[in-house]
């Protein structure tokens, strides 16, 4: 039934599925006999589903009348139409595209995955950026998150962001916050910005400014956060957790509460870009496990939403839930009224190249922002649809049966899958075990580890000593193999 809905209706100028959903919600009328028949059948199936899950139709209609919520549902339905129900679920288009709009940045952070600083000479011009937005909307992308660099430095940011909202997509911004004056915050609110994520790595100015490379950054960042909150924008504080600030995480969360932000998210440190020169800052697997457990309990307390980009957070959530209905995924935690394990396996942990992808300033597509050198296509030469469905690297990333060694054998591989960016950064292999997980520790320290991986490249754990250095990723070889 869903597969039929993938067909494009010339009369409606929409896919049958999208048009039928709009008809069901009372937002469109059937323009042809075939659309009337299809929308009637789809409506019957939806009503059966609502009855099965004891959901009120009015509540359903109200929620999915909002364009981004509706786009999200349609993306999942198209994924099921194309691939069936999979574990984890595959999508017909990326749910989220993280777009490094520019490499230009006003800070010089030690951990920057992008090595941001000056603007790239091959950055897309404004007219091409606007065409990219149109393409992303057409293929069904739900959300665009602008990052960088510092996206607010781009002179055409507001023009491109306005196009995102015009096309009915969710608009998010990942920023260092230093440029969000009161007037900028007002412009962001007027634009309809849905989400602002501000990076803050320490709870005090001295450490934060030293880590970010610019004196005064801390105070300007705090002011940017306060300006966003004052305008009623959903605001998040994002902290990349390293050995330098691990002990300050509770203080940062308390600061977030005082600032009245709605979410705190702990980012995995990935030794790539400028961060590859500071691999010794990475947490040990034991430190990460303790951190994720603490974050879960902070989230459960309910004072603030507390998440993590580490896919192991899904496993920790599931193991720690104690029967409490919490959806175990690293990017969302809330009430769930059905089987938690099934839900977790459907969502699937690491979403690199499966739930989302990254777009570089010059149009290059990569599976994740933390894989900046892994190019799987370029929107100047190929469509996102062709890249999404035909890239061999993306195909292998989505199939957990390809995962090597312990990640491939783990009982939580469909719930977590390990951080693929960490596997690439440490071993030059997208499918290698994630060295940041305690369930991989014994395996990675044993003689069963692939001989080409140096044990000195792994994060220092309780059974290791000395400084940890990252093995340089074999990206050129990987590109030749995967493209």
């Amino acid at each position: 039934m869903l597969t039929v809905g993938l067909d494009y209706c010339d009369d409606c100028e929409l896919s049958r599925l999208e048009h039928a959903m709009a008809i069901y919600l009372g937002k469109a009328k059937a323009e042809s006999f075939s659309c009337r028949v299809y929308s009637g059948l789809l409506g019957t199936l939806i009503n059966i589903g609502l009855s099965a899950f004891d959901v009120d139709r009015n509540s359903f209609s109200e929620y999915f009348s909002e364009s981004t919520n509706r786009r999200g549902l349609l993306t999942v339905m198209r994924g099921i139409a194309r691939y069936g129900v999979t574990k984890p679920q595959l999508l017909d288009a990326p749910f989220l595209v993280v777009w490094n709009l520019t490499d230009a940045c006003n800070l010089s952070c030690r951990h920057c995955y992008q090595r941001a600083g000056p603007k790239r000479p091959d950055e897309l011009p404004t007219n091409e950026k606007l065409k990219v937005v149109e393409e992303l909307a057409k293929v069904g992308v739900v959300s665009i998150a602008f990052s960088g660099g510092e996206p607010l430095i781009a002179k055409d940011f507001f023009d491109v962001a306005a196009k995102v909202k015009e096309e009915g997509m969710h608009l998010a911004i990942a920023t260092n916050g230093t440029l969000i004056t009161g007037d900028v915050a007002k412009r962001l609110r007027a634009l309809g910005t849905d989400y602002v994520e501000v990076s803050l790595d320490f709870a005090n100015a001295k450490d934060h400014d030293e880590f970010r490379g610019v004196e005064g950054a801390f105070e300007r960042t705090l002011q940017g956060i306060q300006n966003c909150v004052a305008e009623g924008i959903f605001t998040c504080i994002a902290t990349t957790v390293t050995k330098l600030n691990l002990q300050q995480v509770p203080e940062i969360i308390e600061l977030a509460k005082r600032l009245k932000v709605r979410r705190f998210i702990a980012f995995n440190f990935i030794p790539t870009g400028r961060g590859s020169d500071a691999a010794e800052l990475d947490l040990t697997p034991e430190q990460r496990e303790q951190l994720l457990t603490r974050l879960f309990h902070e989230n459960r307390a309910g004072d603030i939403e507390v998440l993590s980009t580490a896919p192991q957070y899904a496993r920790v959530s599931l193991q720690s839930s104690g029967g409490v209905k919490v959806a175990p995924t690293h990017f969302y935690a809330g009430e769930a009224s059905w089987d938690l394990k099934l839900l977790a396996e459907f969502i699937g942990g690491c979403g690199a190249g499966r739930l989302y992808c990254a777009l570089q300033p010059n149009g290059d597509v990569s599976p994740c922002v933390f894989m900046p050198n892994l190019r799987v296509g370029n929107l100047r030469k190929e469509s996102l649809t062709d890249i999404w469905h035909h890239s061999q690297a993306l195909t292998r990333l989505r199939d957990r049966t390809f995962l090597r060694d312990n990640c491939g054998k783990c009982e939580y591989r469909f719930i977590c899958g390990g951080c693929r960016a960490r596997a690439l950064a440490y071993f030059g292999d997208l499918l290698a075990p994630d060295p940041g997980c305690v369930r991989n520790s014994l395996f990675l320290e044993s003689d069963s580890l692939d001989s080409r991986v140096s044990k000195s490249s792994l994060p220092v754990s309780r059974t290791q000593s000395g400084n940890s250095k990252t093995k340089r990723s074999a990206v050129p070889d990987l590109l030749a193999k995967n493209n």
Side-chain angles (χ1 to χ4, degrees):
M1 184 67 196
L2 292 176
T3 301
V4 173
L6 295 178
D7 294 339
Y8 188 80
C9 179
D10 292 328
D11 293 329
C12 309
E13 297 184 343
L14 294 168
S15 71
R16 295 195 187 282
L17 182 59
E18 186 175 357
H19 190 215
M21 182 61 70
I23 293 170
Y24 181 86
L25 296 172
K27 292 186 168 295
K29 294 181 179 180
E31 301 294 336
S32 65
F33 175 75
S34 60
C35 278
R36 284 197 296 273
V37 172
Y38 182 78
S39 62
L41 291 172
L42 183 68
T44 299
L45 289 178
I46 291 174
N47 289 336
I48 292 172
L50 295 179
S51 176
F53 285 96
D54 194 25
V55 175
D56 176 68
R57 175 170 176 170
N58 290 334
S59 299
F60 176 90
S61 297
E62 181 180 354
Y63 182 77
F64 288 108
S65 290
E66 205 280 320
S67 63
T68 54
N69 295 338
R70 188 166 65 255
R71 290 180 73 89
L73 176 62
L74 289 167
T75 296
V76 174
M77 293 171 76
R78 285 196 304 269
I80 293 172
R82 181 180 290 271
Y83 298 108
V85 177
T86 60
K87 190 169 67 172
Q89 184 59 46
L90 304 181
L91 300 181
D92 188 52
F95 192 92
L96 165 70
V97 173
V98 181
W99 188 347
N100 293 324
L101 195 64
T102 182
D103 272 359
C105 191
N106 58 332
L107 302 183
S108 183
C109 308
R110 287 186 65 183
H111 64 313
C112 181
Y113 60 81
Q114 197 73 1
R115 289 191 183 273
K119 175 182 175 180
R120 291 176 61 146
D122 60 348
E123 181 180 307
L124 296 174
T126 303
N127 66 317
E128 291 190 44
K129 291 177 182 176
L130 296 176
K131 289 179 180 177
V132 165
V133 174
E134 291 177 355
E135 180 182 355
L136 299 184
K138 186 175 181 179
V139 301
V141 171
V142 179
S143 177
I144 294 180
F146 290 110
S147 187
E150 172 49 53
L152 292 174
I153 284 182
K155 294 180 180 180
D156 55 7
F157 167 79
F158 281 97
D159 292 330
V160 181
K163 184 67 173 176
V164 170
K165 294 304 295 183
E166 179 186 318
E167 295 289 343
M169 291 183 284
H170 182 274
L171 172 62
I173 305 164
T175 171
N176 61 45
T178 60
L179 303 180
I180 304 180
T181 62
D183 288 341
V184 169
K186 284 180 170 60
R187 289 187 70 185
L188 292 174
R189 177 181 56 78
L191 189 64
T193 303
D194 296 286
Y195 178 75
V196 174
E197 184 178 273
V198 184
S199 298
L200 186 73
D201 291 306
F202 292 87
N204 64 80
K206 179 180 179 297
D207 291 334
H208 180 85
D209 291 355
E210 182 179 340
F211 193 73
R212 294 269 165 175
V214 173
E215 188 175 351
F218 181 80
E219 293 301 331
R220 288 160 59 197
T221 295
L222 287 191
Q223 189 60 60
I225 294 169
Q226 290 172 313
N227 290 338
C228 287
V229 171
E231 291 300 325
I233 302 171
F234 190 121
T235 308
C236 165
I237 285 179
T239 299
T240 299
V241 183
T242 67
K243 289 177 179 174
L244 295 178
N245 63 358
L246 176 61
Q247 300 306 317
Q248 289 197 32
V249 169
E251 293 179 63
I252 299 172
I253 293 176
E254 288 305 312
L255 175 60
K257 293 177 184 177
R258 292 198 301 273
L259 293 172
K260 301 187 184 305
V261 306
R262 295 172 62 180
R263 175 183 293 171
F264 169 84
I265 184 166
F267 268 70
N268 248 347
F269 169 73
I270 313 292
T272 191
R274 198 177 292 132
S276 63
D277 301 325
E280 71 279 0
L281 300 182
D282 200 2
L283 302 181
T284 68
E286 292 82 4
Q287 287 173 327
R288 181 170 285 99
E289 188 79 0
Q290 292 166 7
L291 170 67
L292 295 178
T293 301
R294 175 160 194 155
L295 294 179
F296 171 82
H297 289 293
E298 284 278 4
N299 183 74
R300 191 166 160 182
D303 296 329
I304 188 174
E305 192 172 280
V306 180
L307 305 176
S308 173
T309 62
Q312 290 83 12
Y313 193 50
R315 169 183 56 77
V316 169
S317 176
L318 189 68
Q319 291 175 323
S320 306
S321 63
V324 176
K325 298 297 184 183
V326 177
T329 167
H330 66 98
F331 54 83
Y332 170 76
E335 295 301 318
S337 57
W338 55 90
D339 188 281
L340 295 180
K341 187 171 185 292
L342 290 177
L343 175 64
E345 290 178 342
F346 182 83
I347 296 172
C350 180
R354 181 181 60 86
L355 296 179
Y356 69 90
C357 65
L359 181 59
Q360 302 300 334
N362 66 345
D364 281 346
V365 178
S366 55
C368 172
V369 288
F370 294 108
M371 303 176 185
N373 297 320
L374 179 52
R375 176 185 176 277
V376 296
N378 185 285
L379 294 188
R380 279 176 160 155
K381 303 173 183 177
E382 308 157 82
S383 70
L384 182 61
T385 297
D386 286 342
I387 296 169
W388 189 254
H389 292 300
H390 301 300
S391 164
Q392 187 177 357
L394 297 185
T395 299
R396 291 177 69 82
L397 264 176
R398 295 166 186 161
D399 190 340
R400 298 286 164 84
T401 63
F402 285 123
L403 292 180
R404 294 180 55 240
D405 307 318
N406 201 52
C407 272
K409 300 172 185 175
C410 180
E411 64 180 296
Y412 294 101
R413 65 187 179 278
F414 297 117
I415 293 172
C416 166
C419 177
R420 297 298 98 214
R422 291 176 57 79
L424 180 62
Y426 277 101
F427 306 138
D429 184 350
L430 283 171
L431 306 174
D434 179 351
C437 178
V438 291
R439 295 178 66 85
N440 289 334
S441 294
L442 293 177
F443 173 80
L444 290 172
E445 293 166 9
S446 74
D447 292 334
S448 60
L449 182 61
D450 191 311
S451 61
R452 68 187 175 86
V453 176
S454 168
K455 291 175 188 176
S456 65
S457 71
L458 303 179
V460 179
S461 73
R462 62 190 175 197
T463 58
Q464 295 171 293
S465 60
N467 291 329
S468 167
K469 298 293 182 182
T470 301
K471 178 176 177 173
R472 298 291 178 181
S473 300
V475 171
D477 292 340
L478 187 71
L479 291 175
K481 180 166 57 177
N482 285 332
N483 285 321

